Amino acid sequence: MITFAVHGIGRPQRALDPGEDERWLTVEQFDDLLDVVATSGARLTFDDGNVSDVEIALPRLVERNLRAEFFPLAGRVGERGYVNSADLRRLVDAGMHVGSHGWDRHDWRHLDRAFTVRRELDAAPRLLAELSGKPVRRYSLPPGPYDRRVVRHLRAAGATKVYAGGRSRPGSWLHSRVEVRSDLNARWAAGAVTRAAFRCWR
């Protein structure tokens, strides 16, 4: 089943990084996406830990009895426009999963120092686990691509589920996603679900 990757929703409460606006949805677009998810069984993930995760997405998910996975950047928790520790507890208390998107936006294929590797793959999930009150063993790779070295580090870190670029295999711990962008509409989302189901059927 297809998994959609969401970033920010609504009016940003911070200055966006270059290119981030291309992955930012209006509230109306997000509602359209939720309608497709609710009727198709598609899954949702949220990257970066924007405060819109709890202010906009969470109440709408609860209202529709939907579950999702949230992957904050541990190094930005508590900063303006991002979730804080209380927000992480709210997500967990509502039945959502909290995973790790690393400490900051780095391509993990280019982590060249042991300190950086430990911070992204060990310190980040440890902090998120302390703040959320739940073990963190799921990861979302920023910006998505990976190589054998990344996989080796993830296995050593005890990862049980990893979202990355490329296509996933049935039963694999590596899962692919479809990133939603600012030009999202309900017709496109429904078509993405249909295409994913067709590939699975084949």
Side-chain angles (χ1 to χ4, degrees):
M1 179 55 65
I2 191 172
T3 300
F4 291 109
V6 179
H7 290 81
I9 310 163
R11 185 185 298 275
Q13 297 188 24
R14 59 178 176 82
L16 299 182
D17 291 342
E20 246 192 306
D21 58 323
E22 298 175 0
R23 298 176 294 175
W24 210 271
L25 302 180
T26 66
V27 174
E28 292 76 16
Q29 286 174 312
F30 182 65
D31 284 337
D32 287 343
L33 178 62
L34 284 183
D35 289 341
V36 172
V37 169
T39 57
S40 69
R43 294 184 288 260
L44 281 174
T45 65
F46 296 79
D47 280 357
D48 297 340
N50 290 297
V51 72
S52 59
D53 289 355
V54 292
E55 293 185 353
I56 298 174
L58 181 59
R60 285 168 165 78
L61 291 167
V62 171
E63 180 182 2
R64 293 168 170 80
N65 197 30
L66 296 173
R67 296 293 179 266
E69 297 172 90
F70 292 81
F71 296 92
L73 292 163
R76 301 196 185 188
V77 171
E79 292 185 1
R80 177 178 175 82
Y82 291 94
V83 296
N84 57 34
S85 57
D87 293 330
L88 295 177
R89 293 275 184 167
R90 284 180 61 190
L91 291 171
V92 169
D93 290 345
M96 309 298 163
H97 287 283
V98 171
S100 178
H101 201 38
W103 196 266
D104 210 338
R105 292 192 184 93
H106 298 295
D107 188 331
W108 290 358
R109 296 171 298 176
H110 306 308
L111 299 181
D112 55 354
R113 293 167 47 188
F115 168 78
T116 307
V117 172
R118 288 197 301 270
R119 186 181 67 175
E120 296 293 332
L121 278 76
D122 297 328
R126 185 166 58 249
L127 174 61
L128 293 170
E130 291 172 0
L131 297 178
S132 69
K134 291 287 187 179
V136 171
R137 292 289 182 268
R138 302 181 185 191
Y139 293 78
S140 166
L141 274 61
Y146 61 95
D147 57 21
R148 291 180 180 178
R149 189 170 69 106
V150 171
V151 170
R152 185 169 66 251
H153 285 310
L154 286 165
R155 290 192 183 280
T160 59
K161 190 175 187 180
V162 177
Y163 288 101
R167 297 183 65 177
S168 58
R169 299 175 182 175
S172 172
W173 69 317
L174 286 166
H175 299 262
S176 62
R177 299 181 295 178
V178 173
E179 185 178 82
V180 296
R181 304 183 72 82
S182 58
D183 58 354
L184 169 81
N185 59 57
R187 182 177 179 181
W188 174 88
V193 170
T194 300
R195 289 190 294 273
F198 178 73
R199 287 195 299 268
C200 182
W201 178 79
R202 290 183 63 188

